[in-house]
Amino acid sequence: MLFSTPDFTDILPPFPMQIELVPLTPEETLSPGGLALQQRVINSQPAFNLALGGPAALSLSAIRQDAEAVLAAGGRYLAIRRQQEVVGLAHLLASNPFDGHPWIGLLVIDSEMAGKGVGRSAVSQLCHHLARLNPAPVRLCVQLSNPAALTFWLCCGFELVEEDLDEEGRPIAILQAIQHNGANPR
């Protein structure tokens, strides 16, 4: 099934939202404060957790387990701040060992900031950050059970590369930043 990019420019919030990406060290990521921060942001989006097949609210032990797996694979966490307040989280992989592309493994915006342009600004900054590390187009995957996320990424300038199943057997869409569209600066 192929997707086309919907035209929601008339209803999308103004762009860009002033945000800052703050890299977290592995120690900060796994600290009690870092884990609590991740839990607060991730659990502010229960539909996201449910789309991944989990409970609406993740426990600290589940957050820690996920963070340890991301870090073990070479991933890096970033806090997304607006006016010194953390309003989102992302984790990135500069070069996926399976395809050599940089990947956005997670982008979650606090529910109180959803729909205000924070996510779109974060995507732009994340793609520019990854472009400095790896010239290949940025990729990510979206659970097909999360149509709002799929629409968001398509509106941010990503296109479908393929549909597949994740390691849990759930249907996913693998997306890639469209060349020269602003999301991917090459």
Side-chain angles (χ1 to χ4, degrees):
M1 162 160 126
L2 294 177
F3 298 98
S4 62
T5 303
D7 182 15
F8 291 105
T9 54
D10 57 327
I11 61 170
L12 288 174
F15 181 75
M17 171 70 72
Q18 295 298 313
I19 61 162
E20 175 185 19
L21 300 180
V22 181
L24 301 176
T25 66
E27 295 76 23
E28 290 169 323
T29 301
L30 296 174
S31 72
L35 293 170
L37 173 70
Q38 293 172 61
Q39 186 180 41
R40 177 184 62 79
V41 173
I42 290 170
N43 286 346
S44 78
Q45 295 285 358
F48 171 78
N49 296 334
L50 292 169
L52 291 175
L58 300 181
S59 68
L60 274 177
S61 63
I63 298 281
R64 181 179 189 84
Q65 184 178 1
D66 288 347
E68 288 173 342
V70 168
L71 295 170
R76 181 161 198 187
Y77 277 79
L78 295 101
I80 300 164
R81 288 195 319 203
R82 179 172 185 270
Q83 300 175 348
Q84 301 303 314
E85 179 186 353
V86 175
V87 295
L89 292 169
H91 64 68
L92 311 174
L93 188 58
S95 183
N96 185 316
F98 297 107
D99 65 9
H101 285 263
W103 278 69
I104 298 173
L106 174 75
L107 175 62
V108 179
I109 304 302
D110 189 289
S111 62
E112 291 186 18
M113 294 303 296
K116 297 180 180 176
V118 173
R120 290 184 351 137
S121 291
V123 168
S124 178
Q125 288 189 34
L126 292 168
C127 287
H128 281 81
H129 173 76
L130 286 167
R132 291 189 299 271
L133 303 174
N134 185 336
V138 175
R139 288 191 172 173
L140 55 93
C141 80
V142 175
Q143 301 293 324
L144 290 177
S145 61
N146 190 351
L150 182 60
T151 298
F152 168 79
W153 288 106
L154 293 172
C155 288
C156 284
F158 283 72
E159 64 186 348
L160 180 70
V161 173
E162 68 178 295
E163 289 185 18
D164 204 346
L165 298 176
D166 69 8
E167 60 277 352
E168 307 285 327
R170 298 173 300 219
I172 58 170
I174 297 174
L175 306 178
Q176 177 173 293
I178 300 169
Q179 297 290 324
H180 309 294
N181 71 351
N184 200 342
R186 288 169 288 292

